[in-house]
Structures are given as structure tokens and as C-alpha cells.
């Protein structure tokens, strides 16, 4: 229903499209940009000049490759000069990074996270990592903001962490706390870790160029980041993608959320450890130990992996029927489980999924690995820059 | 990643925005359009003149209401002159209509549909209704195309009905068949009936102005039309929204799709009739008879309504966690079931749904009633006109 854009909006859109192109695809010549963006050469030249003046890109003459004529200038994102702060709060670890334009991790810190640490104790740890990294930042750089990935339900309007049962957070304003540390001029965006990983894999990973993707992320809990029609599915309040709380077993165990038989009670960390006879263990290492034991022939561990793999395929089948995605990506411990129990996953998926929904779906592991949450958190911050490059 | 639009694209977008505005909201003055679309008066005047020349809108001086100055001309969609053909293929009925720009049903035909009628027998019935209606069309009218709503899985690329278990259709090219009847110049779009109803309620019904909506449609089978972030969720091939095949009961009955315990085996027509001890009955009338009997105190019917209502709330709870919608609309027999078992639906929804996902969700019945599928099918055809008004 929107009317067409004004000249000023078009210029903003063109600047954003050009900057996004080199941010995602890396350095490329003006000639390549002209063809990729469908704009004429003089427009590309003017846009590039504006972005270069703002310090967001640089231009250089490429090394001659023996072709006649003047070579097309190469446009490069200023990765070292333009950066975002990225943070990730997962059940067992905290990470912080400085990520340059173009998605380059320039610096990073990993911190263990004892389970049970509240937000008031977490924020200073993240702020401490930030202070350390800030000392190494050269003068004259541009910070576009900060992004935080959190394993919990995040309110879209203000980034409040409504509920993160496995970190014990309820209504924690982690974004505001960190903003105090960063200074009022630095915008902070908070989002769910599965959404953030999906965003990263969609921008520059396994799901690049795919319009309908489910990124399943699991550790103790299970959630999904969903790309539908090329865009992130957030839901009304920002809580969309809570697939771990799809009830799959009415007679199942009690879930942290208060319901019974949620999918995460069948495929989360505790489900596997319990089925493997290791109810006292916890953490990613413990999950990997069960998978390793299954690999070495331990019958109980094998049965546990098969059982949980079957439930994994079951829920994926439901989601495939609901979303008709072209790709499902298994992240966090779901990656390890999927790789260990691919036969069970596939078999149950095939029995639950409708054939039309199954015919084009690919099952994949993440391409960005451990960096996905940080790269995605930085993307949250870069979004603002890309929407209006000269305003930021 | 798209660059900004050209002048020609902007003009097309503005023409489409203006025409869509009067198509959805009805006649309004140039002054109102100027403010609604955020364009200046002379642009609105020029756009209106172009649309009027093409015969898509008319302009008239409003009756004076005692205000000084020249009154703003009123722009009206040419509902009687510009129309789409709309068809709906449901389990027990076929409908056909001529729908004017603005969503006005100008003429309609209802035909019973004996269960088991194949596509080759259905198309001639629809074509017959079309021929009858065509005789009453005045000369000089513009037909923008045809839309068909089908209770089945429809391939987005070409409108092939891949599977409609309850009409017995497999790979039926109903769109192509009807296109032969309509003539090559008339474009025909086919879509799933739940998607089409969701589209209609979102354009001009209960979900107008809402960005995240689930329209649940049920008769024998169950499906959903989903609006996420203001846009229709179609999935990769067009099969998104098959929520009736979300398995909710691993120990449940066999489903037509080959799986067991799909949601539709617990809430579809047969589930209710079976639970009420009427396994030989079928059709909407039979469903209404059970609800009526429950209303009159029949204990078995009451138990059946409660049982199915509980499963209805269960699945809605799962969908609310997955999509975080602001509204769920109950259409088809789901409307009757929801109204009869609202307490069970609410109670189970509250036990399955996460509190953050529940806090803003409204449960509603359709506003467009029996017309939704036809109005939505016509919207499919109008979409093309609205995307490029002067090209069609």
C-alpha cells in the first residue's frame, strides 16, 4: 500500500545496496557492482565516492592483468576502520568480539559461564571483555553499535530478555545494562541466539541465497531462527520460533516452561544424558561424550542417540510440513546429534513429512561454526548502517 | 540488496498504491488519498487521471456539505466495470463468482459437490457456472483474470494441485483446465483455500492491519493460511501452512497422508463424528448436528465436542509458540467447533502456550464468512492489476 519512494529515499536505498553488497561479498570492482546492482556506471561512481568520503569503503586500482584500457577501480569495505561490538550469552559460555564491516572478526574473547550466573553478574564480564578489546582499537575508527545474542525470549521493541529458563533470567534488560557501559551514543540490539545464527547463515553462510530456511539451535533448550520468504520471522512480540515448546508428547516429562512433553524435553541436553544413564552430567562436553561412547559401541549410549535422533526427525517433520523450507540447518548440539543419528533423523522425517514438502528440503550443518552467534550479533548492529549508510 | 527503483517503477508503484487504497477502503476524496499515501496533490491528481483514463476509477464531485471552497473530488473504484472471476473448490461445495474491483460480489453460483468428483468432472461444472454468469456481463467491462481456491496442496510455480486427499485429486492441473475455458488472454491463479481465506481476511476482514496472523481452516482436513511480518507465508514450493499434518499424537489414528496422529485426525470432521458415535455421517451438516446435540444436553456429543476442542487448543498452543501471532482466526468447521468449545480451547491453549506468546494473541472468527474463499480468490487475480495497473 506504500507509495513510491522519494529521490532522497532512493539515494539512501542505493547507498545501502552498494555497501551491503561489498559487506556480504567482499571487495569487487565498480564494473561488477554496476552489473550486480543494475545501476549505471556514473551512479555507481557517485555512490562509491560518497561512501568513501564517509570512510565506509576505500577504492584502489587493481593490479594490471594484461588487459587493455583503464581497469575498473576495486571497492573494498573498510573492515579495520568500521566495526560493531558483538556479544553472545549461551548456557555455558559468554563470547565477545569486535567484528569489522564485511563480517571479519578482528578480536574476540571467550569466557566460561558458570550455570546460574544472573544478568547482573554477566553484564560486568561482557563489559570487562569489551574494555580489554577497546584498548587495542586504533584511533579514527567508526563503531556502528552493538549486538547481543541471548539464549532466551527477547522482546522485539526494547530487547528485554523476557525469559531464558536455562540461564535463569527473567525480564533482564541486558541491552540497557551494556548500553550504560558502551555510552549513550552506541545503539545496542538484542535478539535470540537461534534468530541471530539464522541471520548470519542466511547473510553469509550455508543458507546464503535461500529464501525459506529453518535454523535449529539446541543446547539445554531448543529454538529456531526462521527465514520465510527471505525475511526473518519474528512474530508479533519478537518471540517467534520457539519450536522447542511445540508439545510432541502429551505424556512426556515436565518442561521448564511449565508444560509437558515439549520437544526440548525429548531432544535437549538432559533428554540425551538421561537416556544414556548419565542424569548427573551436563554441558556440551557431556553430550559429546555420549555421542563418542555411542561411536565406540556403548549400547546404552547408542540407544540414547537413536531415541533422541528419532524425536529430532519427528519435530523436524512437523516443521517441514508447517513451513515447507528448502533447508534445515542443525546448530549447537543439534549439529552433533544430527551427525550422529542422521539415519534416524531422516527416517522419521520421511515418515512424518508430506512428500511435496520433503522433495526439495536439504539438511545441513552450519558453515560459520562457533562464530555464527558473534557474526550474527554484529549483523544486527550493521543493519542500521546498511539501512542508511551516511546517517550513522 | 536491491538498488532503488527507476522513475518508471516509482510511477507504477504509486499507481498501484492509489488503486489498492480505493480497492481496499472504498471511495475516498483526493484530499484523503493525499494524506493517506503521503504524496502531494498534483501527483495524486495525475495518478488519478491516468487510472480514470484506463477505466479503473471514476471521479465525481461530492455532494456539497456546506463548506466553503472547491470540494475535493471523490475517487471511486470502477467495481461494475472491472472484475475478476473467482472459484472455490471445497470438499462439499463448489462456488463461482464475479467479483468487482473493491471486493464487491457482483454475481455468484453455488453448486453442491458430491464427494469423489474428480477434477475432470469438476472443471466443466465451474466452466458452466462461468458461462451462465458471463451472459449477464455488460459490454465494455475489463476482466483482470481468475483465481481458484482449492482445499489441497498447490504448487506455487504453476498452480498444479499436487494433493487434495479429501477431494481425491492428485496432480490435477485445474488452473490450466479452466484457463482453456476462459481463453488464453485470461491469467488464472490457483492457491490453497486456507491461504486464500487468510489473504481475504487480511486484506479486508478480521485481520486487516495485523501483521502476524494464523487463519485455521478446517472441514475434513485442516490447514492454515499464515501471515508473517505482513506477508503471506508460502514456503519454498507453495505448500507452507500444512498444520493439519503436524503430528500431535504418535499413538493416534492413521491419517490420509500416510502418517499417524496428525492434528487433523484429532480435530477434523471425522474425529468429531467418530467421538460422537456417528462414524457413518459426514459433511458440515453432520458436524453442526453434533454441536447442536451437545447444546441440547446430549452427553456423548458434549464429550466429543470437549475432546476435540481440547485437541484444537493443543495444536493452536503449538502454533502460538512457533509463530507468536497476534491473532488466530477459526474458519470452516473450526469456527463452529471453536464457538462450541471455547472453554476447552482456551484452557488447553493456556497450558501449552508460553506466557510471552499468549499475552497479545486474540482468538477470532472470520468476518467475511462464506464469502472469504471467493473474495480471496478474486484478490489473487487483482494482485496482478494492483502491481501494475496500466499494463493489465
Amino acid at each position: 500500500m506504500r507509495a513510491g519512494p522519494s529521490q532522497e529515499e532512493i539515494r539512501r536505498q542505493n547507498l545501502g545496496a552498494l555497501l551491503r553488497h561489498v559487506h556480504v561479498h567482499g571487495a569487487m570492482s565498480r564494473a561488477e557492482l554496476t552489473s550486480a546492482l543494475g545501476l549505471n556506471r556514473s551512479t555507481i561512481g557517485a555512490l562509491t565516492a560518497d561512501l568513501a568520503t564517509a570512510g565506509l569503503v576505500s577504492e584502489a586500482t587493481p593490479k594490471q592483468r594484461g588487459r587493455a584500457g583503464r581497469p575498473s577501480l576495486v571497492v573494498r569495505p573498510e573492515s579495520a576502520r568500521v566495526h560493531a561490538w558483538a556479544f553472545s550469552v549461551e548456557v555455558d559460555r559468554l563470547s565477545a568480539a569486535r567484528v569489522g564491516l564485511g563480517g571479519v572478526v578482528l578480536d574476540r574473547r571467550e569466557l566460561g559461564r558458570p550455570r546460574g550466573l544472573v544478568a547482573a553478574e554477566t553484564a560486568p564480564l561482557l563489559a570487562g571483555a569489551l574494555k580489554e578489546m577497546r584498548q587495542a582499537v586504533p584511533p579514527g575508527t567508526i563503531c556502528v553499535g552493538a549486538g547481543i545474542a541471548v539464549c532466551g525470549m527477547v522482546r522485539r521493541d526494547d530487547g528485554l530478555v523476557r525469559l531464558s529458563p536455562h540461564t535463569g533470567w527473567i525480564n533482564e534488560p541486558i541491552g540497557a545494562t551494556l548500553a550504560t557501559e558502551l555510552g549513550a551514543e552506541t545503539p545496542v540490539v538484542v535478539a535470540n541466539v537461534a534468530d541471530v545464527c539464522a541471520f548470519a547463515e542466511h547473510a553469509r553462510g550455508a543458507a546464503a541465497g535461500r529464501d525459506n530456511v529453518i535454523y535449529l539451535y539446541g543446547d539445554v533448550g531448543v529454538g529456531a531462527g526462521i527465514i520465510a520468504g527471505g525475511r526473518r520471522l519474528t512474530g508479533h512480540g519478537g518471540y517467534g520460533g520457539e519450536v522447542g515448546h511445540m508439545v510432541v508428547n502429551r505424556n512426556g516429562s515436565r518442561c521448564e516452561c511449565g508444560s509437558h512433553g515439549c520437544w526440548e524435553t525429548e531432544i535437549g541436553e538432559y533428554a540425551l544424558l538421561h537416556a544414556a544413564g548419565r542424569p548427573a552430567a551436563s554441558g556440551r562436553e557431556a553430550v559429546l561424550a555420549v555421542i563418542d561412547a555411542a561411536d565406540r559401541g556403548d549400547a546404552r549410549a547408542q540407544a540414547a542417540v537413536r531415541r533422541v535422533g528419532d524425536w529430532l526427525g519427528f519435530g523436524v517433520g512437523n516443521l517441514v510440513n508447517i513451513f515447507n523450507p528448502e533447508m534445515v540447518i542443525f546448530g549447537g548440539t543439534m549439529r552433533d546429534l544430527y551427525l550422529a543419528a542422521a539415519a534416524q533423523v531422516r527416517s522419521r522425517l520421511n515418515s512424518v513429512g508430506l512428500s511435496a514438502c520433503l522433495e526439495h528440503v536439504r539438511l545441513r550443518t552450519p558453515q560459520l561454526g562457533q562464530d555464527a552467534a558473534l557474526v550474527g550479533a554484529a549483523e544486527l548492529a550493521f543493519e542500521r548502517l546498511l539501512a542508511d549508510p551516511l546517517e550513522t
Side-chain angles (χ1 to χ4, degrees), chain A residues 286-320:
Chain A
V287 167
L288 294 178
V290 171
I291 291 172
D292 198 44
D295 223 27
R296 284 182 286 99
D298 178 319
R300 186 152 188 194
Q302 284 177 336
V305 167
R306 277 200 304 272
R307 180 196 150 87
V308 176
D310 183 76
W311 276 113
L312 179 56
F314 181 90
V316 169
N318 278 356
L319 296 178
V320 160

Side-chain angles (χ1 to χ4, degrees), chain A residues 83-222:
Chain A
H83 70 266
W85 297 109
F87 302 93
S88 163
V89 179
E90 295 168 58
V91 175
D92 293 315
R93 59 175 188 153
L94 301 172
S95 330
R98 186 161 70 93
V99 181
L101 190 64
V104 187
V105 177
L106 299 169
D107 196 359
R108 70 181 292 165
R109 297 289 184 280
E110 288 284 335
L111 301 103
R113 179 182 180 282
R115 292 195 179 180
L117 215 63
V118 299
E121 297 162 315
T122 306
L125 293 177
L126 296 176
L130 169 73
K131 275 180 199 157
E132 262 183 55
M133 288 190 288
R134 197 148 51 178
Q135 285 169 4
V137 176
T141 59
I142 301 169
C143 171
V144 302
I148 311 177
V150 178
C151 57
M153 300 177 77
V154 179
R155 187 158 68 191
R156 188 176 45 186
D157 287 348
D158 59 2
L160 185 77
V161 180
R162 288 293 300 276
L163 179 71
S164 170
H166 306 300
T167 62
W169 291 8
I170 296 172
N171 294 329
E172 289 290 353
I174 180 76
T177 310
L178 218 58
T180 313
E181 193 59 49
L182 283 159
E185 73 284 3
T186 309
V188 179
V189 185
V190 189
N192 171 274
V193 67
D195 289 342
V196 164
C197 289
F199 192 32
E201 293 286 342
H202 186 240
R204 53 177 79 248
R210 307 271 170 193
D211 279 344
N212 296 282
V213 178
I214 295 175
Y215 182 105
L216 194 64
Y217 179 89
D219 45 45
V220 183
V222 173

Side-chain angles (χ1 to χ4, degrees), chain A residues 197 201 206 213-218 222-223 263 267 284 308-309 311-317 319-320 327-339 341-342 345-346 349 361-367 369:
Chain A
C197 289
E201 293 286 342
V213 178
I214 295 175
Y215 182 105
L216 194 64
Y217 179 89
V222 173
W263 194 22
I267 63 168
R284 179 137 194 265
V308 176
W311 276 113
L312 179 56
F314 181 90
V316 169
L319 296 178
V320 160
M327 184 177 283
V328 179
I329 303 176
F330 297 86
T333 55
M334 293 301 119
R335 174 185 174 279
D336 309 298
L337 246 175
Y338 164 64
L339 291 175
V345 173
R346 240 318 156 188
L349 167 59
V361 71
R362 292 152 190 246
L363 308 186
R364 288 287 183 275
T365 54
Q367 257 179 28

Side-chain angles (χ1 to χ4, degrees), chain A residues 310 313-314 317 321 345-354 358:
Chain A
D310 183 76
F314 181 90
N321 290 345
V345 173
R346 240 318 156 188
S347 159
R348 181 59 61 189
L349 167 59
N350 286 342
S351 83
V352 169
L354 295 161
L358 288 173

Side-chain angles (χ1 to χ4, degrees), chain A residues 19-20 22-23 50-58 76-86 97-107 137-146 204 378-379 381-386 388-392:
Chain A
L19 188 59
R20 187 185 292 273
V22 296
H23 171 61
D50 286 346
L51 292 171
T53 305
L56 300 172
V57 302
S58 63
R76 199 177 299 278
E78 282 276 22
S79 299
R81 285 189 54 197
V82 183
H83 70 266
W85 297 109
R98 186 161 70 93
V99 181
L101 190 64
V104 187
V105 177
L106 299 169
D107 196 359
V137 176
T141 59
I142 301 169
C143 171
V144 302
R204 53 177 79 248
E379 292 295 341
F382 284 126
E383 272 303 286
R384 219 169 127 265
L385 173 73
L386 299 172
D388 192 358
L390 301 189
E391 194 50 46
T392 309

